[in-house]
Amino acid sequence: MMINKNNFIIAIDGPAGAGKSTVAKKLAENLNFLYIDTGAMYRAITYKINKEKIDINDKSAIKNMLTKTRLIYENSTLYLDGNPVGDEIRSNEVNSKVSTVSSNKYVRTSMTDLQRCIGQTTSCILDGRDIGTVVFPNADIKIFLVADVSMRAQRRYKENLEKGMDTTFSEIKKSIVERDCIDSKREIAPLSKANDAIVIDTSSLSIDDVVSKITNIYLEKINV
Ligand code: DC
């Protein structure tokens, strides 16, 4: 039997720097699925909070700001209030605040609703922290990517260098460790592996290796 769905969901969760977004983007291109970078959504909200000089702990100001915020995905591009989101959401300032902002209940509910709304009608690959556990607990495929922390920091450091961003390896490693800690310990939708997720350790694998592993899982699944 061949599964043919118009809203096939692949959830890719895992800690910062495990390779989720690069892998998810490539897979989405190959399979012609919509790619949704859920981390970028939390980053875009954090960026706006920063820009509007709102205190990251001021829940009512954040709630008020969200009611006036338009966040949409179109052709795999995220738009914040009509403008395509770029590398401004990857700054050190956003890095240092995004985990606190994403532990805000109202922020999480809004982002989760938006993600579910898109996934109801479209086949997509979502990468994040809580996709397989909370956003789409019935996802067709759940992957949990992990990698050694030094390796994750090394990859981010290389990416930043390529983008001309000025951060040291030790700053990046520290920021990754801090974010993992807040993301895993938060009360709502913490970073955790779904019971039925397939774990892939990417420490010694290339992007193409990981993409082909997940592609094989997908092909097996649709050809049941
Ligand atoms: O994937 P990323 O590093 O760009 O994510 C940035 C932050 O957003 C991450 O530290 C925690 C938060 N996040 C989340 O809470 N839930 C998600 N589904 C995705 C990201």
Side-chain angles (χ1 to χ4, degrees):
M1 192 177 73
M2 174 109 175
I3 292 184
N4 189 5
K5 291 175 75 178
N6 59 3
N7 66 334
F8 195 100
I9 302 287
I10 303 181
I12 304 186
D13 290 303
K20 301 184 300 291
S21 60
T22 318
V23 166
K25 221 178 281 173
K26 277 210 164 185
L27 260 178
E29 262 171 41
N30 294 353
L31 304 179
N32 201 20
F33 277 26
L34 179 68
Y35 165 53
I36 303 178
D37 176 352
T38 66
M41 293 180 167
Y42 290 96
R43 285 174 177 275
I45 298 301
T46 307
Y47 170 78
K48 187 168 175 185
I49 288 172
N50 243 346
K51 205 169 115 202
E52 302 210 339
K53 301 199 176 357
I54 296 170
D55 176 349
I56 51 169
N57 295 304
D58 187 341
K59 294 194 172 103
S60 73
I62 292 177
K63 188 170 176 180
N64 185 38
M65 188 207 86
L66 278 176
T67 60
K68 297 177 201 145
T69 299
R70 267 182 316 122
L71 201 58
I72 57 161
Y73 248 103
E74 219 170 70
N75 301 325
S76 294
T77 301
L78 181 64
Y79 291 83
L80 173 67
D81 296 327
N83 301 309
V85 163
D87 280 343
E88 67 277 13
I89 63 163
R90 317 257 162 216
S91 69
N92 293 340
E93 185 134 39
V94 170
N95 274 342
S96 66
K97 293 181 176 170
V98 65
S99 287
T100 304
V101 171
S102 55
S103 60
N104 176 303
K105 188 174 162 199
Y106 195 76
V107 172
R108 291 216 76 78
T109 310
S110 312
M111 297 304 109
T112 301
D113 286 351
L114 185 56
Q115 291 152 19
R116 284 185 182 148
C117 198
I118 304 169
Q120 249 167 28
T121 51
T122 318
S123 287
C124 41
I125 303 185
L126 302 97
D127 85 64
R129 304 292 187 286
D130 60 339
I131 310 302
T133 49
V134 174
V135 183
F136 287 109
N138 296 321
D140 298 279
I141 295 175
K142 297 182 189 179
I143 305 289
F144 197 76
L145 290 189
V146 294
D148 171 77
V149 68
S150 294
M151 181 61 80
R152 292 191 277 130
Q154 188 60 44
R155 286 178 186 156
R156 274 284 147 91
Y157 178 61
K158 212 171 142 228
E159 270 170 27
N160 283 6
L161 277 186
E162 281 163 9
K163 286 179 187 161
M165 289 167 74
D166 179 27
T167 21
T168 65
F169 173 77
S170 61
E171 276 169 345
I172 293 177
K173 190 169 173 188
K174 186 166 169 273
S175 151
I176 283 184
V177 170
E178 275 168 10
R179 282 204 288 131
D180 282 356
C181 180
I182 305 177
D183 295 344
S184 319
K185 288 190 178 150
R186 71 173 171 235
E187 217 173 293
I188 317 159
L191 162 66
S192 72
K193 185 189 92 61
N195 289 336
D196 50 350
I198 299 164
V199 179
I200 302 178
D201 186 334
T202 69
S203 305
S204 57
L205 296 176
S206 70
I207 300 295
D208 287 341
D209 290 339
V210 184
V211 169
S212 93
K213 264 181 191 279
I214 304 176
T215 304
N216 288 338
I217 294 169
Y218 169 74
L219 292 175
E220 258 177 43
K221 186 91 187 180
I222 60 165
N223 284 308
V224 286

